[in-house]
Amino acid sequence: MPSEHTEIQVRPGGEGDLAALTDLYNHYVRETAITFDTSAFTPEERRPWLLSHPVDGPYRLMVATDTGSGRILGYATSSPFRPKPAYATSVETTVYVAPGAGRRGIGTLLYKALFEALDSEAVHRAYAGIAHPNDASTRLHERFGFRHVGTYREVGRKFGRWWDVAWYEKEL
């Protein structure tokens, strides 16, 4: 776990981050309903995801690292909202914070950097789906101006139970 005096750098993610990003994501796959993936990935299986987030354009990957150790503390992405062309000006955003790094403002730093990067892009709306309950994610999204627009009830099944997903929207 990082110390209180650790400096944090937020930067675009790249090929060298793939293994650590995969490990971080797999924690959420195995331990939580935050993602509805149910099987862990190898770095090679995650490579297409990484490559779909270049350093420019509307689909970004921002990574927070501990500047001393280089450890990845979290990441945020903007990804296509839906595959049809009329949705091209909408993105879906998400944040994943490493276990033990959450109460240090990592999610806030990541979203701040992500939305600053998107300022120069032709993006009109951002959407976020939050599997409930997840009070920390709800607070983060509301802090960034997302508003609740609806909830899909029992839309996902993981760990032998049904999960609701609340959808949030932010004007960009």
Side-chain angles (χ1 to χ4, degrees):
M1 183 156 107
S3 73
E4 289 300 314
H5 303 296
T6 299
E7 289 192 37
I8 299 165
Q9 174 190 33
V10 177
R11 59 168 174 75
E15 185 75 23
D17 301 318
L18 181 58
L21 292 170
T22 302
D23 287 345
L24 174 54
Y25 186 71
N26 282 340
H27 162 78
Y28 286 95
V29 170
R30 287 187 305 269
E31 305 295 328
T32 77
I34 288 173
T35 176
F36 284 176
D37 280 316
T38 57
S39 297
F41 291 86
T42 66
E44 281 307 309
E45 290 170 328
R46 287 288 280 176
R47 186 174 308 284
W49 165 84
L50 179 83
L51 296 175
S52 72
H53 295 90
V55 296
D56 59 2
Y59 311 131
R60 303 286 183 107
L61 166 62
M62 304 304 291
V63 175
T65 61
D66 175 316
T67 57
S69 68
R71 176 179 175 242
I72 290 182
L73 303 173
Y75 69 90
T77 62
S78 57
S79 301
F81 175 64
R82 302 285 300 253
K84 296 181 180 174
Y87 290 113
T89 59
S90 298
V91 294
E92 183 174 349
T93 62
T94 192
V95 173
Y96 289 91
V97 176
R103 291 201 170 104
R104 304 189 56 242
I106 306 295
T108 298
L109 291 172
L110 285 163
Y111 256 3
K112 183 177 183 296
L114 179 65
F115 291 124
E116 285 174 1
L118 292 177
D119 273 347
S120 62
E121 301 298 333
V123 179
H124 182 64
R125 289 275 192 275
Y127 295 90
I130 303 172
H132 275 199
N134 189 336
D135 293 339
S137 186
T138 298
R139 284 191 305 273
L140 174 67
H141 286 86
E142 288 176 347
R143 196 164 44 251
F144 275 88
F146 281 82
R147 64 182 180 84
H148 182 251
V149 293
T151 299
Y152 293 157
R153 303 282 177 204
E154 297 183 350
V155 69
R157 187 154 177 84
K158 188 172 179 180
F159 303 134
R161 67 169 275 201
W162 294 103
W163 298 90
D164 296 346
V165 174
W167 283 94
Y168 290 77
E169 172 185 70
K170 173 183 173 65
E171 184 175 337
L172 299 175

